[in-house]
Amino acid sequence: MDFKSLPVWGNLAILAIGGSVVWVAGLQLARLAESIALRTGMSRVLAGAMLLGVATSLPEIATTVTAGALGNAPLAVNNLFGGVAMQLAVLALIDFWSVRDGPLTFFSPDPVLLLAGVLLVLQVALAIIAVSAGDVAILAHIGFWPLLLVVIYGMSLYYIENFASLETWTAARLPEKVLQADAPGDDQKESTDASLAWLMALFAFNCVLVLIGGASVSTSADALSAQTGIGSGFIGATLVAVATSLPEISTTAGAIRLGAYSMAIANILGTNTLEIALLFPADLAYRDGPVMNAVDNSALLMAGLSIVMTALYLWGLLERRDRSILRMGVDSWCVLLTYLAGLGVLYFQWGRSSIAQLVLPAVVVCGGCQGPQSALSPAGEGAEQIAALFWAMAIGAGMIWLIVIGLAVYALRIAPHPHDTRSSRQWVIGGGVVVPTLLLTILLMFGLAILPALVRPAPVGSLHVEAVGVRWWWRFIYPTPDGGSFELANEVRLPAGEPVQFDLRSADVIHGFWIPSLGGKVDMIPGRQTRLTLWPTTVGTYRGVCAEYCGASHAKMAFDVVVMPRAEFDTWLRQQAQDAVDPSGSE
Ligand SMILES: [Cu+2]
C-alpha cells in the first residue's frame, strides 16, 4: 500500500496507532522476557540479550532480507552498521528519561554485561576486518565472514549464559534499588503462575505486533515527512529515526520500569551483536556474491564508532560511578556526544544521503528528501557553500539550544536554590553579552569568508545570459556568435562545470531570481541591472523560482533549469541560433 496517497490525517492516525501498539507491545515483551527467564531459570541478562534482542531486531531483519533479496546489497548491509551505533545512543537517552537518582550503569552491577560488551566489540571488530580483507564465496554464493559472525553470535549467547556459574566476579557496593529488584516481589510470583507455553505464545504474539506496528510507524512517518514538506529537514529525519528505533526504546524503558537494569543494557548489547550476525541472512538473501563486499567506508566509520561507544559503556560499567550530571551518567554523555560527532563527520565526509542510508533506511527507500528545488541537495558550487553554512548554523544553533535548555533544567530542577547576586551577574554578563558577541562574531566571519566566492563575477569569456523577470514569467536572452540573440521563456539551459553570468533585469516590479539547487538569490530591480554568477556542477533538471512577492501569480512564476554536458549544450546552442524552419517545408 502506498502511504503517500493517504491524507495527512490518515498517516497521523496510523503513526499514532502503530506507535502505541509498538509501545505497549514493547513494555509487554520486557515483562514477558522477565517471566520467561524466571520460569526457565535463564538469566535476566540472557533474556535481555536473546529474547528482547531478537524481538526488537525483527523490523531490521525484515528490511535487510528484503533489500538483499531485491539485490540492493548496500542497503542490506550498511543500515546494520548504522543501527548498532544508533541503539547505543538510545541507551544514553533512556538513561536520561527513565533512570532516576543516578546513572544507569551504577544500577547495573552485573559483571556478565562486561562480557556481553566485550563480545560485541569482538563481533564488530571482526566485521571491520572482514570488510577490509574482502570476502570470497565458500558455500554457493555465501561468503566466509557472515558464517563466522553467526557462529560467534551463537557462542556469545552460550558464554553469556554460563558466565554466572563461573563465579569469578562479584559486584560490590550494591545500590538499595538493585537489592530490592532482585528480591522476588508479588508481580513475579503472579506472572510465574502462567504456563511456559502460554508465556512463549504471548511473547510471539507481541513480537508480531512489534513487527507490524514498527513497519507501519516507519512507513507512515516517512510518508508524513514527504507530505508535509519537512522531509528534507532535521524534523523529518528525527521523526523517522525515532520511529525506527521505537521497539528498542519501549522494551528498554519497559525493562527499566521493572527494575531490570541489567536486562535493559543486555537488550541493547544483544540486539547489536545480533545485528552484526544479520549479515548472514543478508548474504543468504543476496544471490550475486558475498554481501560483505558491498559494505562501504561510511559503514566502517559507524562500526568504528560503535566500538568506541561500547568501550565507553564498558568503562562506565567497570567504574559504576554514582554521580550523574543533568540526569545522565558521564558514560552516557560521552556516548551521546561521540555519536553526534560521528554523525557530523559522516555528513561532511559523505553527504546527507549516506546519513539517510545508515540512520534512516526508510528515507532512502522512498527518496523523499531529494528534489529539483532543494538548497540542501546542492548541484552547484555556490549552493554547496550555502548548504555547508546552513548545516554549520543549524548544528551550532541546536547545540546552543541544548546547552541553554540544559542550564534551565539545571537551575529549575537540579539546583533550585537561590544564587548570590555576584554569580548571577556573572552569568548575565558572561552568558548574555560575552558569549553571544563572541559567537556572532565567529558566525559573521564565517559568513563573510564565503561571501567573495558567492558574488565574484564570472571570468572573462564565460557564457552570459540575460534574464528578465516579467509578471509572471521569465525571459532568457542568449547572445549568438554573430552578434544576434535568441530567447527562451521559462526555461534556461546551462553547460555543466562552467561558470555562467546572469545579467538580471525586471520589466515591471521587483522579482527575486533564485535557483536553490545552484546558488544564492539576487533581486531583479526595475531600472537597474544586477548580476549573479552560478557554477552548475551536476547534470540534471532543476527548478528556479521568483523569491520576491510580485502579485497574484507570484507562486506560479517558476522556470526549468536544464544543466547539460558541454558538447550537448554546444549542439543545442547552434540549433537555437539557426533561423526557424518553415513548417510547410517551402523555401
Ligand atoms: Cu516575481
Side-chain angles (χ1 to χ4, degrees), residues 470-472 474 509-512 546-551 554 557:
V470 189
R471 292 210 292 178
W472 288 280
W474 304 86
V509 298
I510 300 180
H511 298 281
C546 177
E548 185 67 53
Y549 181 70
C550 57
H554 160 72
M557 189 170 162

Side-chain angles (χ1 to χ4, degrees), residues 272-330:
N272 285 342
T273 319
L274 174 62
E275 197 113 326
I276 300 299
L278 287 185
L279 284 165
F280 180 68
D283 209 8
L284 273 183
Y286 180 69
R287 276 178 228 92
D288 303 337
V291 82
M292 284 308 258
N293 295 338
V295 178
D296 60 33
N297 272 344
S298 54
L300 284 185
L301 172 84
M302 294 316 270
L305 200 64
S306 53
I307 290 187
V308 174
M309 292 163 83
T310 312
L312 287 169
Y313 265 132
L314 282 171
W315 186 349
L317 283 165
L318 279 165
E319 288 198 343
R320 280 184 49 231
R321 287 178 183 261
D322 58 358
R323 280 285 306 278
S324 53
I325 301 169
L326 293 175
R327 296 201 51 182
M328 246 159 89
V330 181

Side-chain angles (χ1 to χ4, degrees), residues 26-315:
L27 296 180
Q28 290 298 316
L29 281 173
R31 199 179 58 79
L32 289 163
E34 166 122 329
S35 303
I36 292 173
L38 282 169
R39 282 300 302 248
T40 54
M42 183 195 278
S43 71
R44 272 175 163 184
V45 168
L46 186 73
M50 196 174 74
L51 294 176
L52 292 184
V54 171
T56 54
S57 293
L58 285 174
E60 280 92 348
I61 297 178
T63 311
T64 295
V65 171
T66 317
L70 292 175
N72 188 345
L75 180 61
V77 289
N78 288 336
N79 80 71
L80 294 178
F81 288 94
V84 176
M86 186 166 82
Q87 274 139 33
L88 287 163
V90 163
L91 201 54
L93 293 179
I94 291 281
D95 190 0
F96 181 79
W97 287 117
S98 302
V99 186
R100 308 213 162 244
D101 340 308
L104 172 61
T105 42
F106 178 60
F107 297 127
S108 315
D110 199 334
V112 71
L113 292 174
L114 299 171
L115 178 68
V118 167
L119 288 169
L120 174 60
V121 167
L122 182 80
Q123 180 96 319
V124 180
L126 275 175
I128 293 180
I129 294 175
V131 175
S132 325
D135 203 0
V136 283
I138 54 164
L139 253 179
H141 60 273
I142 300 164
F144 163 73
W145 293 102
L147 272 172
L148 180 70
L149 291 173
V150 85
V151 168
I152 294 210
Y153 173 66
M155 281 170 54
S156 302
L157 294 181
Y158 175 80
Y159 284 106
I160 285 173
E161 182 55 6
N162 290 294
F163 181 77
S165 61
L166 294 176
E167 290 181 343
T168 37
W169 294 88
T170 34
R173 276 188 62 212
L174 296 182
E176 191 101 327
K177 214 181 209 177
V178 175
L179 292 172
Q180 283 168 359
D182 279 349
D186 294 340
D187 297 4
Q188 292 171 357
K189 248 184 264 152
E190 188 192 325
S191 59
T192 47
D193 288 342
S195 80
L196 182 61
W198 174 241
L199 289 175
M200 295 294 261
L202 272 181
F203 191 84
F205 175 68
N206 280 291
C207 280
V208 174
L209 288 184
V210 163
L211 187 57
I212 298 172
S216 48
V217 164
S218 54
T219 324
S220 60
D222 178 61
L224 265 180
S225 57
Q227 282 174 337
T228 52
I230 54 174
S232 54
F234 265 136
I235 309 171
T238 315
L239 186 69
V240 181
V242 171
T244 16
S245 50
L246 205 54
E248 280 83 4
I249 300 178
S250 67
T251 47
T252 312
I256 283 184
R257 193 188 274 186
L258 292 170
Y261 295 89
S262 303
M263 188 162 89
I265 297 183
N267 172 24
I268 296 293
L269 296 177
T271 306
N272 285 342
T273 319
L274 174 62
E275 197 113 326
I276 300 299
L278 287 185
L279 284 165
F280 180 68
D283 209 8
L284 273 183
Y286 180 69
R287 276 178 228 92
D288 303 337
V291 82
M292 284 308 258
N293 295 338
V295 178
D296 60 33
N297 272 344
S298 54
L300 284 185
L301 172 84
M302 294 316 270
L305 200 64
S306 53
I307 290 187
V308 174
M309 292 163 83
T310 312
L312 287 169
Y313 265 132
L314 282 171
W315 186 349

